[in-house]
Amino acid sequence: MSPAAALLLRPTSATTHPLLHLSSPKSVVLRLHPSRRRLPVPRLSLTPTTSSNSNNSPTPPSPPAPSPEPAAPPSLFANWSPPRAIWRGLSALLLAGQVFHRVLTGSVHRRNLLAQLRRVGPGSAGVALLTAAFVGMAFTIQFVREFTRLGLHRSVGGVLALALARELSPVVTAVVAAGRVGSAFAAELGTMQVSEQTDTLRVLGANPVDYLVVPRVLACVLALPVLTLISFALGLASSAFLADSVFGVSVSIILESARRALRPWDLISSLLKSQVFGAIIAVVSCAWGVTTHGGAKGVGESTTSAVVVSLVGVFIADFALSCLFFQGAGDSLKYAMG
């Protein structure tokens, strides 16, 4: 055997070669161990890569970014909103115009009108008559005491009749109506507005102004003059009864003095005032009701505000109508003294 062959057949120690391992010293079985060298694994990328060698064309330049436009100066009324009282007043004027137009065109819900007339007239008669009776008796106490000392007891009936017909009866009736009817109108329409019942009426094809507002305004305009006449009669009767029973002034003297002092224009002006007061109460209450928002709290605020604004409007209108109806010097008390 040649030295080269002997070198090739020489056993290799397991400790000298990493791929050979002898299971025992006398065994000739060879075991191959896996190589500890890790092969490189190529990484996959979802984005395409551009090769600088494949395409030597120059990259087109990106368009320049647009320069930001200068901000517009803030407007003077950008964050301004009109006060609530202003737009509610404008809504009341707009609602009054719509009611007037509906009345002229005949767009009135008659069944609802009759229901509101029953509510404003007989429903408010008890409170209005009771208030008128006690107001008449309170004025009688003040007038009879002073006029009797001056010997003018024959003119007491004329003074009471003029005061009741021109001022007390229409104003007191309007105050009672504003407190009882106006608050109810504002609360009802405000509740319907916050619960979206008015939108339901529009969906069903009904106009809320025709169905809800016009009957209430007409009911107040028609019922308040009747209540004013009844209040005037009851107030004068209670005054005559108190003057006769307490101060000794005969009922016939009171009524005769009232007949001499009163003129037809006094009663007509009282009826006209009542109609104007009724329109103010109904329009303001309905306008405040349909502009309600904010849930139950908003309904309460709208009701209170509607009554206050209605009373202020009644007093302002009373002053304006009194200046319009009664100008110059009067001579009614001259006829009342006989």
Side-chain angles (χ1 to χ4, degrees), residues 157 236-245 248-258:
L236 188 60
S238 62
S239 299
F241 172 77
L242 183 64
D244 187 17
S245 60
V249 180
S250 176
V251 174
S252 60
I253 296 177
I254 297 292
L255 296 181
E256 181 64 21
S257 176

Side-chain angles (χ1 to χ4, degrees), residues 121-134 172-173 175-177 179-180 227 231:
S124 304
V127 181
L129 296 180
L130 187 65
T131 305
F134 280 97
V172 169
T173 305
V175 169
V176 172
R180 189 184 185 280
L227 289 177
S231 299

Side-chain angles (χ1 to χ4, degrees), residues 112-177:
N112 201 5
L113 174 60
L114 293 177
Q116 297 301 326
L117 278 173
R118 192 181 308 113
R119 180 183 187 181
V120 177
S124 304
V127 181
L129 296 180
L130 187 65
T131 305
F134 280 97
V135 168
M137 288 188 291
F139 268 75
T140 301
I141 293 174
Q142 302 299 328
F143 283 127
V144 172
R145 291 177 64 245
E146 304 299 331
F147 278 47
T148 303
R149 292 179 181 179
L150 298 176
L152 301 175
H153 59 278
R154 289 186 174 273
S155 62
V156 172
V159 173
L160 290 175
L162 292 176
L164 288 171
R166 294 180 178 179
E167 294 296 331
L168 292 179
S169 294
V171 172
V172 169
T173 305
V175 169
V176 172

